[in-house]
Amino acid sequence: MRIDVVSIFPEYLAPLELSLIGKARQDGLLDLKVHDLRSFTTDRHRTVDDTPYGGGAGMVMKPEPWAEALAAVGGDAAARPVLIVPSPAGERFTQAMAYELAEAPQLVFACGRYEGIDERVLEWAAGHFDVRPVSLGDYVLNGGEVAVLAMVEAVGRLLPGVVGNPESLVEESHSDGLLEYPVYTKPSSWRGRDIPEVLLSGNHAKIARFRRDEQLRRTADRRPDLIERLAPESLDKADRALLDELGYDVADGGPRRRAEA
Ligand code: JEE
């Protein structure tokens, strides 16, 4: 896969030289280049921003340097490379999107700063790219760079050969819409805390049940929205008994939180 990142802070993307993604680049699995937006300006001051039409706070990124940069890195327009534009107003980035993006031959990331990029750049780019405004989550960052670090890592680890143990990816792809169970390693007793006894029992059915219960408990506690999205067919008798204990009714429509007494 080829990935191009355009930013006024190319040094911000330095972590992409490290760890799994850095290794994938060294191994030739990932051709990743970071470009400085200012190198596509033509004025003496290398200007990338200006005041917003209609007034309001802050500055907006000028269209001309962006069009030059995207035309230069865009590759084959007939191949419809994906242009990902991090934005607080984007569609939420999800694991499903990471799988989808991992299939593309080329991803281009446009990192905005200030109040964002002149909207006409996205309209123009739609003639050359599959344009995707994407948000990392519902909080405000100062620019697209941190979002790109997260998205490149999420997509990069799905590329064939990048993750050392592909079994973990297979397990992940069959994940059941619940949060992970807690994990433990040696020593079995640490600072007065013993690991759950069942994990030493060698009883694999009991261990599986324990882990499933822990998944349901922490999902109900931390992400009740995920519990309400579970398909009733995916819930066995023990799941239903625990969900009842946790305050859910399980009917044909799936689990629903009972009204507080
Ligand atoms: C790209 C500039 C900063 C801050 C106006 C008005 C927005 C832009 N999950 C995510 N959060 N933030 C980003 C993100 C932020 C960016 C850029 C991505 C480019 N900025 C910026 C404030 C505003 N605010 C009120 O609503 C909130 C605009 C992001 C991602 N991905």
Side-chain angles (χ1 to χ4, degrees):
M1 169 177 282
R2 175 167 166 183
I3 297 182
D4 292 276
V5 183
V6 182
S7 164
I8 60 167
F9 294 125
E11 330 82 79
Y12 223 118
L13 287 307
L16 297 177
E17 310 269 340
L18 305 175
S19 192
L20 212 69
I21 299 300
K23 176 83 180 355
R25 290 171 75 180
Q26 282 176 11
D27 295 349
L29 302 169
L30 185 60
D31 174 13
L32 189 151
K33 290 196 171 60
V34 180
H35 311 266
D36 184 352
L37 180 70
R38 286 194 203 276
S39 71
F40 298 94
T41 58
T42 54
D43 66 311
R44 220 163 56 84
H45 299 289
R46 312 223 290 168
T47 312
V48 294
D49 63 322
D50 206 335
T51 54
Y53 277 116
M59 299 291 271
V60 173
M61 295 192 101
K62 292 170 65 57
E64 303 94 328
W66 274 112
E68 292 297 326
L70 297 177
V73 305
D76 179 12
R80 301 296 291 175
V82 182
L83 176 63
I84 298 141
V85 186
S87 162
E91 172 190 4
R92 270 287 280 280
F93 184 72
T94 61
Q95 188 63 28
M97 201 185 296
Y99 282 117
E100 191 189 320
L101 296 176
E103 301 291 324
Q106 186 186 4
L107 304 179
V108 177
F109 290 91
C111 298
R113 281 269 151 180
Y114 315 110
E115 297 299 305
I117 304 170
D118 187 305
E119 190 65 25
R120 294 168 294 178
V121 174
L122 281 72
E123 295 168 15
W124 164 80
H128 306 261
F129 299 86
D130 176 10
V131 179
R132 305 284 296 267
V134 174
S135 167
L136 199 59
D138 293 340
Y139 37 80
V140 182
L141 304 172
N142 275 334
E145 285 80 4
V146 164
V148 168
L149 290 175
M151 293 188 271
V152 169
E153 183 154 315
V155 172
R157 63 189 290 284
L158 300 179
L159 301 177
V162 172
V163 163
N165 174 12
E167 274 174 48
S168 51
L169 288 184
V170 172
E171 195 174 304
E172 225 170 72
S173 72
H174 295 117
S175 91
D176 39 23
L178 294 172
L179 301 184
E180 296 302 305
Y181 53 76
V183 295
Y184 305 89
T185 187
K186 289 170 278 294
S188 65
S189 183
W190 177 75
R191 299 193 177 185
R193 294 160 193 278
D194 295 346
I195 63 164
E197 215 170 73
V198 63
L199 299 180
L200 294 169
S201 69
N203 183 334
H204 298 294
K206 258 184 117 174
I207 290 171
R209 189 64 251 168
F210 168 77
R211 287 178 165 170
R212 177 84 177 172
D213 286 353
E214 290 296 301
Q215 284 190 279
L216 287 162
R217 286 183 191 285
R218 52 157 66 162
T219 306
D221 183 43
R222 303 175 187 175
R223 293 293 305 277
D225 58 309
L226 296 182
I227 295 284
E228 300 226 6
R229 257 185 263 158
L230 293 171
E233 316 83 69
S234 71
L235 301 170
D236 67 18
K237 256 182 112 174
D239 293 338
R240 286 159 193 257
L242 179 56
L243 284 171
D244 179 68
E245 231 178 85
L246 296 173
Y248 289 87
D249 284 325
V250 183
D252 293 348
R256 289 293 169 269
R257 182 83 234 217
R258 264 196 303 278
E260 309 274 355

